[in-house]
């Protein structure tokens, strides 16, 4: 992807075709990064290892839940998950929860497990427990985590778009009309927002498309 020198862009496809456009919408989403050394996370992602209680909380309501958060995401995340069921916060060996936060978590009924995680247990994509390095198994049926994300493509960076640091990774900076810091380049969806949700991503795309059309008709 590159600027064409006269205000537009040229995209090179992997079948060697080239497409020209006056405006560009980046909607390539994000890629999720998983914690190293925990067997069983990747294959359960989206089934019993989950990113969002608002998307998946209902299915697991009232069941035993786990939360794994790693810096810079705060351990307070477990206070939200406790809304849906009895919750264990796994510190995975990172025992740095401040006393005040620890008190708040305990007041919400969250159990804090400091041990390092070795693997997830359970048949196929289901989860029955979290096995710790000391051999104990903590029974949980769903594990919520916030993976570190990175843009789904390097194109925004290559074009010179600015990023902000979101709670889970870099987010393309956009204005109210969904335009990035590079004139003529717009961005929508997960790549340009902190909360990853299909409805929000879709609405973002509507707004970006509308803005681009207006800019082409009225000039911008
Ligand atoms: C496990 C999981 C479960 C989820 N469950 C829910 C849920 O229940 N409800 C909900 O609302 N949201 C859910 N989400 C979030 C939702 O999936 C995202 O918010 C939404 O898909 C974002 O849409 P998007 O179009 O921005 O990105 P994506 O859906 O990621 O689409 C981006 C597309 O761009 C493609 N792409 C990347 N680079 C290039 C390139 N160079 N050229 C061509 N194509 C490229 C990618 O292959 C991908 O197909 C879930 C997310 C995950 C990870």
């Amino acid at each position: 992807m590159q600027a064409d020198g006269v205000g537009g862009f040229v995209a090179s496809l992997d079948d060697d075709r080239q497409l020209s456009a006056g405006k560009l919408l980046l909607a390539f989403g994000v890629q999720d990064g998983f914690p190293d050394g925990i067997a069983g996370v990747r294959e359960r992602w989206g089934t019993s290892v989950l990113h969002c209680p608002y998307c998946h909380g209902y299915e697991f309501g009232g069941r035993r839940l786990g939360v794994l958060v790693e810096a810079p995401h705060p351990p307070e995340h477990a206070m939200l998950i406790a809304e849906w069921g009895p919750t264990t916060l796994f510190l995975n060996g990172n025992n740095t929860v401040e006393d005040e936060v620890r008190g708040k978590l305990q007041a919400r009924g969250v159990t804090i497990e400091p041990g390092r995680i070795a693997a997830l247990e359970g048949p196929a994509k289901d989860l029955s427990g979290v096995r710790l390095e000391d051999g104990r198994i903590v029974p949980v049926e769903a594990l919520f985590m916030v993976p570190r994300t990175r843009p789904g493509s390097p194109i925004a960076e290559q074009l010179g778009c600015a990023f902000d640091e979101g709670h889970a990774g870099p987010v393309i900076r956009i204005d109210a009309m969904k335009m990035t810091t590079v004139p003529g380049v717009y961005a929508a969806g997960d790549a340009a927002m902190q909360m990853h949700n299909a409805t929000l991503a879709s609405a973002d795309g509507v707004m970006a498309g509308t803005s681009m059309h207006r800019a082409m008709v009225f000039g911008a």
Side-chain angles (χ1 to χ4, degrees):
M1 190 76 64
Q2 58 191 41
D4 64 6
V6 288
F9 304 91
V10 178
S12 303
L13 306 184
D14 58 8
D15 62 6
D16 293 333
R17 281 182 300 142
Q18 290 199 321
L19 299 178
S20 299
K23 306 282 180 202
L24 195 61
L25 174 58
L26 307 178
F28 44 63
V30 296
Q31 291 180 4
D32 301 305
F34 297 105
D36 292 330
I38 303 180
V41 169
R42 191 175 293 273
E43 54 267 42
R44 291 181 173 82
W45 183 231
T47 303
S48 56
V49 179
L50 307 163
H51 83 303
C52 172
Y54 305 105
C55 298
H56 303 282
Y58 179 77
E59 295 100 295
F60 289 96
R63 292 155 75 177
R64 285 174 295 201
L65 307 175
V67 178
L68 172 62
V69 288
E70 295 183 306
H73 209 75
E76 285 93 325
H77 188 57
M79 291 172 68
L80 297 175
I81 306 299
E83 199 68 43
W84 284 270
T87 299
T88 300
L89 170 64
F90 293 92
L91 299 183
N92 195 23
N94 176 24
N95 205 353
T96 55
V97 181
E98 292 169 12
D99 287 346
E100 188 188 343
V101 174
R102 194 175 284 271
K104 285 182 184 170
L105 287 162
Q106 285 164 345
R108 281 288 276 169
V110 174
T111 303
I112 300 176
E113 172 52 64
R116 286 190 66 82
I117 298 173
L120 304 187
E121 302 277 338
K125 293 183 174 184
D126 290 342
L127 183 64
S128 57
V130 172
R131 179 157 50 84
L132 301 170
E133 282 187 353
D134 64 12
R136 286 179 298 131
I137 294 180
V138 181
V140 297
E141 290 164 86
L143 181 68
F144 287 89
M145 56 178 285
V146 184
R148 184 88 191 141
T149 62
R150 61 179 184 280
S153 158
I155 289 172
E157 205 177 347
Q158 289 164 1
L159 289 168
C161 299
F163 286 78
D164 293 311
E165 193 55 34
H167 66 252
V171 177
I172 301 171
R173 186 181 303 162
I174 50 175
D175 65 17
M177 304 308 283
K178 310 297 176 190
M179 193 165 80
T180 71
T181 52
V182 176
V185 179
Y186 293 70
D190 282 9
M193 61 170 60
Q194 291 212 43
M195 183 167 174
H196 296 162
N197 176 280
T199 314
L200 295 180
S202 169
D204 226 28
V206 173
M207 186 68 197
T210 307
S211 300
M212 292 165 77
H213 184 220
R214 291 180 66 85
M216 286 191 285
V217 172
F218 298 122

